[in-house]
Amino acid sequence: MREYTTQMDAAGKGIVTPQIAEVLKNETISQELLMERVAKGHIAIPANRNHTNLRAAGVGEGLTTKINVNLGVSKDVCSFDGEMKKAELALKFKADAIMDLSVSGDTEGFRKRLVKDIPVMIGTVPIYDTLTRTGKATEDLTIEDWFKTVEIHAENGIDFITIHAGLTSKCVQSITTNPRLCGIVSRGGSILFEWIKKTGTENPFYEHFDRLLDICEKHDVCISLGDGLRPGAIKDSTDAPQIEELITLGELTKRAWERKVQVMIEGPGHVPLHEVEMNMKLQKKLCHNAPFYVLGPLVTDIAPGYDHITSAIGGALAAMHGADFLCYVTPAEHLRLPSIEDVKEGIIASKIAAHAGDLAKGIPGAIDRDNAMSRARGKLDWEGQFEQALDPEKALTYRDSSRPKDGGDVCTMCGDFCAVKRVEGLL
């Protein structure tokens, strides 16, 4: 019989699991502090026992900011092989997690393939898959339908599941009496909103939260408590429905921790710059310092085609003020299913944001790579610069596309006016 049920339970008992050891190997935090924070729920290590090839990662206080890559097929673009290439690209550029948001085809087969071949933590949204799996209209879904899907995902080896358990009947009333410019933009949130409105019953994951905890405890699945009422417009940011749901998520977090089930909290969304810090601190306060996982946040609504940039701006600020996990956004956001090129752009933008946040938070060792890059630049050591670059191939391509005519070691921006070259040997 196992000595522990979940990573949180193990940490509370002083047991260093292989997953905890893996996190210690890749972070600068001490073992004592990591164990304390995992035991309290301030750090989560999503690690389903059925994901046997997982390279575990920690999300939370004092750790490097992690990034997630969303992928998955739709009815209109349904190529699981294409999505697998995106997953492999995510590994190449050192993403920390992948979420499969597929809503068509053999979703279970693809999940199993991801878990078998991808060694980073995998997340899903079982609410979507309940519709796909059953083929039923939303109002015809039963309690058993909802929880059967969760059980399948847990058995498939999914490490964290997004569950919008905080979107209660009370929240439905709140958004009805506090109309928004852009309504509900969460797919999972809209499905549950529709189910509550059409059936006249409570959110099944809120009403039967203990049943959800039973499944997650059994397989050590981390619950990513979804923000079904996250703002999808700058004007709707930090409104009553968003905060109403966040308060409920804080209450559910305590219930999960009582069962030693790990939790992350999902956050906005579209948030103007001056409200980002407040949103981060509000979540940490209301949700008892649980790890915070944010989509963006996007700091303006007017940049379709460039939302990886609006997201990176908000993501860097969010990470600086306490966000632990950034969900990437691609240039295709709001427009289409992203291509593999879009995925790469989104990953790099999110990696920049996460690293900038780590520098601002003073994560030990975060600045080492920047210092190595600066030393290489100060010596016009191009190979050294490429070695430290987030995307070495792109940097080399730019360098090769425009070389100095005399073959020198400067670049074509400055040439003979290169500041580094001019003071060489004088400093």
Side-chain angles (χ1 to χ4, degrees), residues 352-410:
I352 293 169
H355 183 67
D358 287 346
L359 290 174
K361 284 189 282 194
I363 297 294
I367 201 172
D368 292 352
R369 190 169 176 181
D370 297 82
N371 289 342
M373 174 67 85
S374 296
R375 279 192 292 271
R377 282 184 175 148
K379 298 175 183 177
L380 292 175
D381 173 7
W382 294 98
E383 291 304 318
Q385 292 178 58
F386 300 145
E387 186 178 333
Q388 299 303 325
L390 283 174
D391 185 357
E393 294 171 6
K394 186 169 185 176
L396 179 58
T397 298
Y398 269 77
R399 171 71 177 160
D400 284 345
S401 70
S402 182
R403 293 271 189 172
K405 292 179 180 178
D406 63 3
D409 55 2
V410 296

Side-chain angles (χ1 to χ4, degrees), residues 43-349:
I43 290 175
I45 305 177
N48 188 316
R49 284 192 283 274
N50 296 324
H51 193 175
T52 55
N53 67 336
L54 176 68
R55 295 198 303 261
V59 180
E61 183 183 3
L63 305 184
T64 54
T65 306
K66 306 304 186 295
I67 76 157
N68 170 68
V69 171
N70 286 342
L71 49 78
V73 302
S74 68
K75 182 179 179 181
D76 293 313
V77 185
C78 193
S79 169
F80 286 113
D81 287 340
E83 297 309 293
M84 203 67 202
K85 289 178 182 177
K86 293 176 186 177
E88 291 163 359
L89 184 74
L91 290 183
K92 176 181 176 180
F93 286 101
K94 297 181 171 57
D96 304 288
I98 288 171
M99 284 201 80
D100 173 27
L101 309 183
S102 294
V103 292
S104 185
D106 182 12
T107 53
E108 184 173 13
F110 183 57
R111 277 195 306 278
K112 289 179 176 179
R113 185 177 173 187
L114 278 174
V115 169
K116 177 178 177 292
D117 294 345
I118 301 299
V120 299
M121 54 184 167
I122 307 293
T124 59
V125 188
I127 291 168
Y128 305 168
D129 198 41
T130 302
L131 289 172
T132 303
R133 182 182 66 81
T134 64
K136 292 182 178 181
T138 304
E139 62 270 25
D140 294 330
L141 292 168
T142 66
I143 303 295
E144 294 305 314
D145 290 330
W146 293 118
F147 282 96
K148 179 62 178 176
T149 307
V150 174
E151 289 174 355
I152 291 170
H153 285 225
E155 290 166 358
N156 289 164
I158 298 304
D159 302 296
F160 65 99
I161 54 172
T162 293
I163 299 289
H164 303 80
L167 202 168
T168 63
S169 296
K170 187 177 180 182
C171 289
V172 168
Q173 181 60 34
S174 179
I175 198 167
T176 302
T177 56
N178 295 276
R180 285 176 159 183
L181 188 62
C182 204
I184 297 175
V185 298
S186 160
R187 285 193 291 186
S190 68
I191 292 167
L192 285 173
F193 180 88
E194 181 186 6
W195 194 79
I196 292 168
K197 291 284 283 187
K198 289 183 176 179
T199 65
T201 52
E202 184 55 274
N203 181 331
F205 297 107
Y206 177 78
E207 188 173 19
H208 304 280
F209 193 64
D210 285 331
R211 182 171 177 179
L212 178 65
L213 295 177
D214 289 341
I215 299 169
C216 293
E217 181 184 23
K218 179 180 178 182
H219 298 278
D220 196 1
V221 176
C222 178
I223 303 175
S224 188
L225 286 170
D227 51 338
L229 298 181
R230 69 173 179 266
I234 293 297
K235 187 178 184 300
D236 299 331
S237 176
T238 326
D239 65 356
Q242 178 193 336
I243 303 306
E244 180 83 53
E245 183 180 25
L246 188 62
I247 291 169
T248 304
L249 297 185
E251 295 168 355
L252 294 175
T253 296
K254 282 189 170 182
R255 288 178 59 185
W257 286 348
E258 288 171 1
R259 294 280 300 275
K260 307 303 178 186
V261 172
Q262 299 185 106
V263 170
M264 297 187 292
I265 306 295
E266 295 187 12
H270 291 235
V271 181
L273 275 175
H274 64 284
E275 291 185 11
V276 172
E277 179 181 2
M278 174 180 60
N279 269 265
M280 300 307 108
K281 292 181 176 178
L282 193 60
Q283 181 274 341
K284 288 289 184 176
K285 179 72 173 180
L286 294 177
C287 297
H288 323 294
N289 204 35
F292 199 16
Y293 173 29
V294 297
L295 176 63
L298 284 69
V299 296
T300 179
D301 298 334
I302 63 169
Y306 299 92
D307 275 328
H308 58 310
I309 297 174
T310 66
S311 170
I313 294 168
L317 193 57
M320 174 181 175
H321 291 295
D324 306 292
F325 195 10
L326 306 181
C327 185
Y328 91 149
V329 172
T330 77
E333 184 79 6
H334 303 113
L335 300 171
R336 69 175 190 197
L337 191 83
S339 67
I340 196 161
E341 292 79 16
D342 296 328
V343 168
K344 179 184 173 182
E345 291 295 314
I347 292 170
I348 296 299

